[in-house]
Amino acid sequence: MRFVILGPPGAGKGSLAGLIKDMLGIVHISTGDMLREEMKKGSPLGLEIKGLIEKGSLVSDEIVTKLVEQKITTDPDLVKGFMLDGFPRTTHQAKDLDQILDKVSKPLDFVLCMEASLEIILSRLTGRRVCRKCGALFHIKNKPSKKLNVCDLCEGDLYQRSDDNEETIRKRMEVYEISTKPIIDYYSMQGKLIRISGEKETANVRNDLIKILNEDKSNKNQKFSRN
Ligand code: ADP
Ligand code: ZN
């Protein structure tokens, strides 16, 4: 299974991906995580990326697409499938992705579009905490760790992302509206778009997704048996 999870920051893309990757046995590719890894290295490229992320701006299509292409064309674990979280984020990236996937004969099965209100997004992102070691996500109110600032899964320390402050979140939302939203139409025209609300708890969003996928499967089977 191969799909993209699309949606504004804070819609719950990363949380959903974290919850379903083992269930589906597929790889979770997060360009945000890949860029933050690069940032940690402190290389000239890492520093450039840091500046852009902290402003809430996008990193250039060229840099991000190259990272994704490398992953898609070289990671042997991807045979079982993958979900892309945070990529594509511009129409340019979406077109390049189609080309890359065409070359390796691995087209997308569908694109999941998650949505949530600005109020929910702001509260989720300003309270979000991330494990420095394993990347697990917590929230100071909705999903607090058992021990303050310590990850339940690996005991790593939790931190607040430097772009999770109200000013940068508003900028990220603006960037989403202008640069990323047009991709919804792009995939809708391909007949690949599945819309889902990201406002419920992650486990409920997962259940909604399973239901949609099962319905889709049985629709296809019906069509198949009728022909
Ligand atoms: P969120 O979805 O919560 O905004 P991400 O971790 O996906 O968080 O992304 C964080 C930041 O990384 C973005 O604001 C942007 O600066 C950069 N980034 C991630 N993915 C891309 C991409 N596909 N193209 C350009 N920049 C990206
Ligand atoms: Zn952890």
Side-chain angles (χ1 to χ4, degrees):
M1 191 183 281
R2 295 178 293 271
F3 61 97
V4 163
I5 311 180
L6 203 68
K13 306 182 296 287
S15 301
L16 179 70
L19 194 67
I20 61 180
K21 67 170 190 246
D22 294 332
M23 179 184 92
L24 299 174
I26 61 179
V27 178
H28 172 202
I29 306 175
S30 155
T31 43
D33 286 348
M34 288 161 98
L35 293 169
R36 279 183 290 275
E37 278 303 309
E38 201 58 52
M39 224 165 92
K40 266 198 241 160
K41 290 183 195 160
S43 61
L45 176 65
L47 287 176
E48 186 190 325
I49 292 171
K50 187 170 189 281
L52 291 166
I53 288 187
E54 290 186 347
K55 270 199 307 196
S57 306
L58 293 182
V59 175
S60 78
D61 288 338
E62 202 196 343
I63 292 175
V64 185
T65 305
K66 216 189 273 168
L67 283 175
V68 172
E69 179 166 25
Q70 208 172 26
K71 178 91 182 160
I72 287 178
T73 51
T74 59
D75 188 341
D77 290 342
L78 259 54
V79 287
K80 286 186 223 141
F82 55 83
M83 54 190 148
L84 279 162
D85 155 15
F87 184 92
R89 247 179 166 91
T90 62
T91 310
H92 196 260
Q93 291 178 13
K95 289 182 178 161
D96 280 348
L97 175 66
D98 276 346
Q99 270 187 7
I100 294 166
L101 295 178
D102 248 11
K103 265 195 265 170
V104 291
S105 304
K106 282 181 180 154
L108 292 172
D109 296 309
F110 61 92
V111 173
L112 194 64
C113 180
M114 293 181 82
E115 266 149 0
S117 69
L118 182 62
E119 194 191 342
I120 290 187
I121 287 173
L122 279 174
S123 117
R124 280 183 180 166
L125 294 184
T126 49
R128 172 158 76 178
R129 297 291 182 273
V130 188
C131 173
R132 214 177 276 285
K133 222 160 113 188
C134 76
L137 299 173
F138 296 87
H139 187 281
I140 49 171
K141 284 202 203 102
N142 309 340
K143 196 188 169 197
S145 56
K146 290 196 184 92
K147 271 192 258 169
L148 186 70
N149 290 334
V150 177
C151 175
D152 291 353
L153 306 178
C154 77
E155 304 239 296
D157 59 308
L158 305 184
Y159 78 107
Q160 180 168 30
R161 269 170 46 177
S162 51
D163 57 344
D164 277 349
N165 59 77
E166 190 160 340
E167 193 191 339
T168 312
I169 294 166
R170 289 193 186 273
K171 174 76 196 297
R172 282 155 64 199
M173 287 299 293
E174 222 178 273
V175 169
Y176 172 76
E177 289 290 327
I178 295 168
S179 305
T180 310
K181 243 187 168 173
I183 311 181
I184 297 178
D185 284 340
Y186 177 80
Y187 286 123
S188 172
M189 299 227 284
Q190 292 187 359
K192 291 195 173 170
L193 199 72
I194 297 178
R195 285 181 190 270
I196 198 167
S197 166
E199 295 200 342
K200 299 181 194 171
E201 261 180 53
T202 313
N204 293 327
V205 180
R206 173 196 55 194
N207 295 343
D208 288 350
L209 174 64
I210 293 172
K211 224 168 108 191
I212 293 170
L213 293 181
N214 283 336
E215 275 166 16
D216 191 48
K217 214 157 92 190
S218 66
N219 282 344
K220 277 190 187 132
N221 286 343
Q222 257 173 20
K223 270 185 220 145
F224 184 70
S225 57
R226 259 191 255 127
N227 290 338

